[in-house]
Amino acid sequence: MDHPNMQTLPRRWNAEGFLPFRLEVLTPIFVGSGEDLSPLEYVIREESGGYVLHLADAAAWLLAERGNSAVSAALNAGEMLTLRCLMTERLDVNLYSLGRMPIQSAEVARTLQARITDPRSLSKAEVMPFVRNPVTRAAILPSSSLKGAISTPLIDHLDRLLTGTGQENLKKAMQFQPSGYQATLKKILGDISEHAMQALKVADIAVPPGGTSIWAAREMSLKPDKPGVPKPPCEALSPSGAGGLPLYGSLHLDCRSGRPAIQLSGGVFEWKRIVALCNNFYKDRFLAEWDRFYRLPHFKQACGALLPVRKRIEKLNPETDLLLRVGRYSHIECVTVTNNAPQIKKGYGKTRTLADGILPFGWAILHFCPQDEYVAGIAAVEKSIAEARCQRQKARVEYETQRVRLLEQQRQMAAAVVLARERVDAEKRRREEEAARREAELANLSPQERAIVALALPGATEKESMDLFVQLGTLDANLQQRAAAALKNYWSSVGKWSGKQSDKQKKKIARVKEILAE
């Protein structure tokens, strides 16, 4: 039996109220961050036969490209269309990708690429991203989305109790006394300071790399010829079984009543009762949506894709499975209570927004699991996220190390070139100075002395040696000795002193030897 003053007791969360689960994603789930990605925040690449969107670390890329004249010019001039073209062309995803998401539709990828790379295009080419952890950059399914999805069936149940007993329900409160809406809601859930749903704590679900994809959000009407409202592509959780690690989360129920439960105006709702209310609420809406939309001929493809989902929902295990519809595009029937249909003149619920025009968004099952499976699953996800961060950081460090090494090599090469140029210039100056010195020395010599010295210089010719030989008989003894020595050295250098020589050359050699007394 409940404690008579249970509501005055402090809430108590203990191990008994801890409920770990594996999130079974039946159809893509989209929970947006509230801000769209511009083409200056992502790039698209062709990889493994498909297309992938990479979240870009644009700030780091711009810093690295600060020396590029085209990038600097576009940035300084505020030419964002040009800058996004340059980013798409030049950004290295191995260094500046913060996360990668496969794009399910090649048509979507090519359309985005065409809009980005056309410098005349004024298209924003925006993509709606999933909410992310600002530190790890990993996608997270926020607890508020799950808690809201669990709350709706409870509110619906209590609102129907009010309706059944003739009391003012939410719809009447909103129609006839708008200010009374909050009062009725307060009657159902309690004052904000002691709100009943405080009894339920829900943890955010971390999504490992590869857990999300980019999908087209296509609106389809009951009327096959009526076009839908265009919507940007969005990043959504991929259905379970599409690859990647399973997702795990946990619920924690208040146990101040002695057992895990939520205390509401309609009584104490233990977990099994909550599961039954959620399953009935969402299963009825899934089947109603199936009958109203997916039986229509122009929803044929969606019907075929949803058939395995329907079979799974029809086999819900009340002990382990809790059916929910989560996130954006869950549609009005799944986010409002039964007796509180929106007051819209043109009606409501006449369209469905489908992922790639095939699957509805938001269907999931919380599959309760043993704690050891949950612990291992959480650890695997966290490890995957950490490894992805480490890999990005390692790639950056390796690139920076290589860049510094390359810059040092370039610096050393530049220094070597400067040193070599200086050596060449010094040698040139030395030769010029030596030539000038010789020229000065030669200018002070007699013609005969100049002829002797010239024969020892580089570039001396055979004619010069013949001219000097002819002058031997006219020289004084000292000059004759010097001239003979110069002739010997020259002929030795050109192979005309030793070995087989002509008779004429032999006579010249004999004359030189005679002077040298050899």
Side-chain angles (χ1 to χ4, degrees), residues 279 283 308-318 320-321 365 367:
N279 286 346
K283 185 176 180 180
V309 176
R310 173 169 180 159
K311 290 180 179 179
R312 175 67 181 91
I313 290 175
E314 288 175 342
K315 295 181 180 179
L316 289 172
N317 185 332
T320 59
D321 297 337
I365 293 174
H367 182 83

Side-chain angles (χ1 to χ4, degrees), residues 430-502:
R430 187 192 67 77
R431 290 179 180 177
E432 289 174 348
E433 291 170 357
E434 179 66 21
R437 185 185 62 78
R438 285 196 301 267
E439 287 292 332
E441 290 177 352
L442 288 174
N444 295 324
L445 298 176
S446 65
Q448 292 83 4
E449 287 175 323
R450 283 198 297 272
I452 294 170
V453 173
L455 196 61
L457 297 176
T461 65
E462 181 70 19
K463 182 179 182 303
E464 288 175 317
S465 70
M466 290 302 300
D467 291 343
L468 183 59
F469 180 78
V470 170
Q471 297 181 55
L472 282 176
T474 65
L475 303 176
D476 60 36
N478 181 44
L479 287 178
Q480 196 178 55
Q481 282 285 326
R482 289 172 59 191
L487 287 168
K488 178 182 178 181
N489 290 337
Y490 176 76
W491 286 339
S492 296
S493 68
V494 297
K496 289 191 173 185
W497 180 260
S498 60
K500 186 177 180 180
Q501 304 293 337
S502 66

Side-chain angles (χ1 to χ4, degrees), residues 104-105 107 215 218 220 290 293-309 354-360:
Q104 296 296 323
S105 167
E107 178 187 353
W215 305 77
R218 292 184 178 148
M220 298 177 65
W290 177 284
F293 289 92
Y294 306 123
R295 290 182 181 277
L296 298 175
H298 59 292
F299 282 90
K300 181 179 180 181
Q301 190 176 8
C303 181
L306 265 180
L307 190 57
V309 176
L354 307 180
D356 286 350
I358 300 174
L359 288 170

